[in-house]
Amino acid sequence: MLKMLRQMTSGQPVEVAPGMATTKEFARLASIAQQFGYEYAGVRQGWGYVMLFVPDFSPQARARAAQNWAQYPNASDGGALPPLLPGAIELLKARITFDMSALYGNQVVRSIGICVIPLALGLQRGTTSVLLAGAFCAVLMVAIPLGLAINRRRKAKCTALLQAADSYR
């Protein structure tokens, strides 16, 4: 987080890779970024998830950033931070979860490809290897539709929450 805040002083887009963070921790980072004039712009997958923040040039964001940088000048050095707004955290969490769910579809295609490798190796090594590879692929083929169903429900829930918040504004 400190690195993120230091990078934000440049006014350039910032990428943050918080490692094994939960969506709640991602949302917390996004909320802090908003307090300092940045907007969450998406998530991509590298070795883990990487969040992108871009400067928010709206007058409200500029005013909020100026006020928070003045009120919390040591934030990028580990000092105090502005309080987090609970409603904003939940919306950001829904948005980030939705974006991560979109990435899941790409992982399904990779999973199917991963099934081909053990089968090919199993064919070279013999009957036992083919059976083990076949069992692995069978489990994978059951897990993929289950994962897709869970993912679809999660995306629908996030979509409903985000649309409700959008219509509220």
Side-chain angles (χ1 to χ4, degrees):
M1 177 178 47
L2 297 178
K3 183 179 175 184
M4 175 184 81
L5 288 169
R6 286 186 197 115
Q7 290 175 344
M8 286 179 178
T9 59
S10 72
Q12 297 297 314
V14 173
E15 286 190 344
V16 179
M20 298 300 290
T22 64
T23 52
K24 187 173 184 176
E25 291 165 343
F26 279 122
R28 183 174 171 268
L29 285 174
S31 180
I32 290 167
Q34 282 183 341
Q35 298 290 345
F36 290 98
Y38 274 71
E39 184 65 32
Y40 166 75
V43 66
R44 67 176 174 80
Q45 194 160 10
W47 287 105
Y49 288 110
V50 179
M51 298 175 65
L52 174 65
F53 298 105
V54 295
D56 185 349
F57 295 109
S58 69
Q60 299 88 353
R62 296 285 100 205
R64 183 176 57 246
Q67 177 186 359
N68 283 326
W69 281 118
Q71 193 171 357
Y72 303 95
N74 298 325
S76 63
D77 296 324
L81 295 168
L84 302 176
L85 306 172
I89 293 283
E90 289 305 312
L91 286 177
L92 285 165
K93 184 178 171 186
R95 188 169 166 208
I96 292 166
T97 300
F98 182 88
D99 290 348
M100 287 178 172
S101 296
L103 293 174
Y104 182 75
N106 297 336
Q107 292 173 345
V108 168
V109 173
R110 288 186 206 131
S111 297
I112 293 170
I114 287 172
C115 190
V116 174
I117 295 168
L119 280 174
L121 291 173
L123 287 172
Q124 289 179 345
R125 297 191 183 229
T127 306
T128 305
S129 297
V130 171
L131 291 174
L132 288 173
F136 171 75
C137 289
V139 169
L140 193 61
M141 292 305 140
V142 169
I144 287 173
L146 180 63
L148 287 172
I150 291 168
N151 192 45
R152 213 173 7 261
R153 265 189 243 123
R154 186 179 295 141
K155 275 180 84 171
K157 181 180 171 186
C158 292
T159 300
L161 181 63
L162 293 169
Q163 286 175 342
D166 204 31
S167 66
Y168 177 72
R169 289 181 191 176

